[in-house]
Amino acid sequence: MDDRLIWLCLAAAAAGVVNAVAGGGTLLTFPALILALGESAEASVVANATSTTALFPGSLASMWGYRREFRGTAHWIRWLLWPSILGGLLGSWLVVQLPATWFKLLIPWLILTATLLFLLQPWIARRTGIGQRHEEPSPQVIWTIVAFQFLVGIYGGYFGAGIGILMLSSLALMGVGDIHKMNALKTLFASVMNGLAVAIFLWNGKVNWHYAIPMIVAASVGGFLGASVARRLDKNLVRRTVIGIGLVLSIHYFLRIYQIV
């Protein structure tokens, strides 16, 4: 057996657990795939596409798990689904159409951005009042949030790690007071972005199926286990671990890709 496949499945299983508990699984699978596929520009794009594909079924499973919480959310879906679709399409299209060297140069910035989102998650939650009931926003605020969701969609289609906290923040500002409904909507929009990205990556032949298929299985098992033990795990400890990994990886790729030393 390919030794790399063993490590990739372990990374995917860990990502499934992390996504179920705190989010941030991409910060485990994407760097692992770069190690397996190499650090060329094209390999980086394939690593991104394969990582997205491997974790996508877990996103669908989460959405199914929240199916009862979608009741009474139709008006929020009407506002935010279409910018999620358009942004996700544009972001994933940019990955396959722009020169692969551009994506490689952005790797440390993307990992650092995702890491900082997780680092700032508690502060963002306090500032936006995630889980608290808000008054219905004005039309101007709604359109601002729609535009923001479009940008989140672009980032989600292009890379995607950390989009959850961004969407929870915008949903809080939209007046969604129930955290379970917020998580349901978040999983719906994330599934749309990731699903469109997977479709475009597949159409352009960017997915390494030798690694993707076993990683899908491993991530699904990890997600199931993560959901089962989530109440017994220290969510803050998991989040801090992901942040630490992300900071180390971003520094590594800044030094390596930009040849700082």
Side-chain angles (χ1 to χ4, degrees):
M1 177 182 282
D2 186 346
D3 290 342
R4 290 174 295 186
L5 190 56
I6 296 175
W7 289 107
L8 287 172
C9 287
L10 290 174
V17 173
V18 166
N19 278 341
V21 178
T26 301
L27 290 173
L28 303 179
T29 52
F30 176 65
L33 280 161
I34 286 184
L35 287 175
L37 296 170
E39 295 188 3
S40 69
E42 184 59 32
S44 299
V45 172
V46 173
N48 182 44
T50 305
S51 174
T52 302
T53 303
L55 298 180
F56 175 57
S59 183
L60 290 178
S62 296
M63 185 175 67
W64 176 253
Y66 280 114
R67 62 191 181 279
R68 293 183 180 86
E69 277 69 40
F70 284 111
R71 294 173 187 150
T73 64
H75 60 299
W76 290 308
I77 293 175
R78 282 196 297 270
W79 275 108
L80 297 178
L81 182 60
W82 62 269
S84 301
I85 293 172
L86 295 177
L89 281 172
L90 179 56
S92 49
W93 179 82
L94 290 173
V95 173
V96 298
Q97 293 299 320
L98 293 177
T101 51
W102 290 21
F103 183 82
K104 181 178 180 180
L105 290 174
L106 284 172
I107 286 174
W109 296 102
L110 292 169
I111 294 177
L112 181 61
T113 298
T115 303
L116 291 177
L117 286 173
F118 286 108
L119 179 64
L120 296 173
Q121 184 177 19
W123 179 82
I124 294 173
R126 288 193 300 270
R127 294 290 295 178
T128 57
I130 289 175
Q132 302 174 18
R133 184 167 297 279
H134 292 257
E135 296 296 327
E136 286 291 327
S138 66
Q140 293 82 1
V141 171
I142 290 177
W143 281 108
T144 300
I145 294 171
V146 167
F148 177 73
Q149 183 71 9
F150 174 67
L151 296 177
V152 172
I154 295 175
Y155 174 67
Y158 196 82
F159 187 61
I163 57 174
I165 184 59
L166 294 174
M167 287 190 286
L168 285 175
S169 301
S170 61
L171 288 167
L173 294 174
M174 285 285 279
V176 185
D178 186 328
I179 186 61
H180 299 299
K181 291 187 183 296
M182 293 169 71
N183 277 321
L185 291 168
K186 177 199 71 177
T187 58
L188 168 63
F189 301 139
S191 296
V192 167
M193 296 172 195
N194 292 331
L196 291 170
V198 168
I200 290 179
F201 294 152
L202 290 177
W203 181 263
N204 288 273
K206 300 298 183 182
V207 177
N208 184 311
W209 285 108
H210 175 66
Y211 293 143
I213 292 176
M215 288 179 73
I216 288 172
V217 175
S220 299
V221 171
F224 175 79
L225 293 175
S228 301
V229 302
R231 291 181 178 85
R232 295 193 293 272
L233 289 177
D234 185 342
K235 185 174 181 178
N236 289 326
L237 177 60
V238 174
R239 193 173 62 84
R240 285 194 291 268
T241 301
V242 173
I243 290 169
I245 293 172
L247 290 174
V248 170
L249 289 172
S250 60
I251 292 171
H252 167 76
Y253 286 115
F254 269 117
L255 296 176
R256 193 171 186 88
I257 292 174
Y258 288 94
Q259 299 180 347
I260 295 175
V261 294

